[in-house]
Amino acid sequence: MSRPVRIDSFLWAVRLFKTRSIAQDACRKGRVAINDVTAKPAKMVMAGDVISVRKPPVTLSFKVLQTTANRMGAKLVPEYILNVTPPEQYEILELKRMSGYVDRAQGLGRPTKRERRDLEQFLQAPVVEPEPLEDWSEESQADWSEAPLEYEPEEPDGPSPDLLDWDNW
């Protein structure tokens, strides 16, 4: 028969948390429960207990088959815990994952470091007030309408189009 083990050590050993300190923090924040009772990090867990771990937006549930305080490889984890999480929790997780793609337009995302710097530079640039436009009264418009247009078409500078006819070469 397996001996009792601290819950934070067990959660770390069966690879539910990356470090033991992260497992301790989860217990302190009330995210871990043993048999539907919130567990502190030093609470002992035994074979047959059901552990609930809340990792928002889902709550994962596991039945303890054996206890251990030593970290193990991922292939050995099924010998120690059995996943009893209801399928509804996985549906919530899938909906959450898919909703991230719906809200974001294609090709858009976080700005790159260069784009962020350009944006900060743009926002910190001094604001230049435009100069007021000249008075466009009727007198000034009359001066423009009476002036003759001085336009003379220029001769083309390059060779004639006949010389550029590549089919005749």
Side-chain angles (χ1 to χ4, degrees):
M1 189 164 168
S2 57
R3 58 185 176 81
V5 178
R6 287 176 55 115
I7 185 66
D8 61 341
S9 179
F10 181 75
L11 293 173
W12 166 76
V14 294
R15 308 179 78 85
L16 291 178
F17 290 98
K18 189 173 183 178
T19 65
R20 185 171 170 192
S21 62
I22 295 172
Q24 286 176 342
D25 290 341
C27 291
R28 286 188 190 113
K29 292 178 181 176
R31 294 182 178 169
V32 177
I34 300 174
N35 298 326
D36 296 329
V37 177
T38 304
K40 292 183 178 180
K43 177 80 172 164
M44 297 298 204
V45 64
M46 298 180 62
D49 288 340
V50 176
I51 300 172
S52 300
V53 180
R54 194 174 81 234
K55 291 187 176 183
V58 297
T59 301
L60 305 173
S61 301
F62 302 95
K63 184 173 184 181
V64 179
L65 303 176
Q66 296 180 36
T67 58
T68 183
N70 299 327
R71 187 132 168 125
M72 64 189 73
K75 290 184 179 180
L76 299 177
V77 170
E79 296 175 13
Y80 291 87
I81 59 173
L82 176 66
N83 189 354
V84 292
T85 306
E88 297 85 29
Q89 295 295 320
Y90 289 110
E91 291 174 8
I92 292 170
L93 190 61
E94 184 67 21
L95 288 174
K96 177 73 173 172
R97 187 181 65 82
M98 289 174 32
S99 70
Y101 296 112
V102 173
D103 296 338
R104 189 173 69 82
Q106 185 70 22
L108 298 179
R110 291 180 56 180
T112 63
K113 189 181 282 189
R114 181 178 181 180
E115 291 171 340
R116 179 183 54 80
R117 288 178 181 158
D118 290 343
L119 182 61
E120 286 177 356
Q121 183 181 5
F122 174 75
L123 292 175
Q124 292 175 356
V127 178
V128 178
E129 294 293 328
E131 295 180 15
L133 296 174
E134 295 179 13
D135 183 30
W136 285 82
S137 63
E138 292 180 16
E139 296 171 359
S140 63
Q141 290 178 2
D143 295 340
W144 283 91
S145 61
E146 295 173 2
L149 294 177
E150 298 177 11
Y151 173 74
E152 296 177 15
E154 297 180 9
E155 294 293 324
D157 292 336
S160 68
D162 298 330
L163 294 175
L164 297 176
D165 188 13
W166 293 101
D167 295 333
N168 295 332
W169 279 65

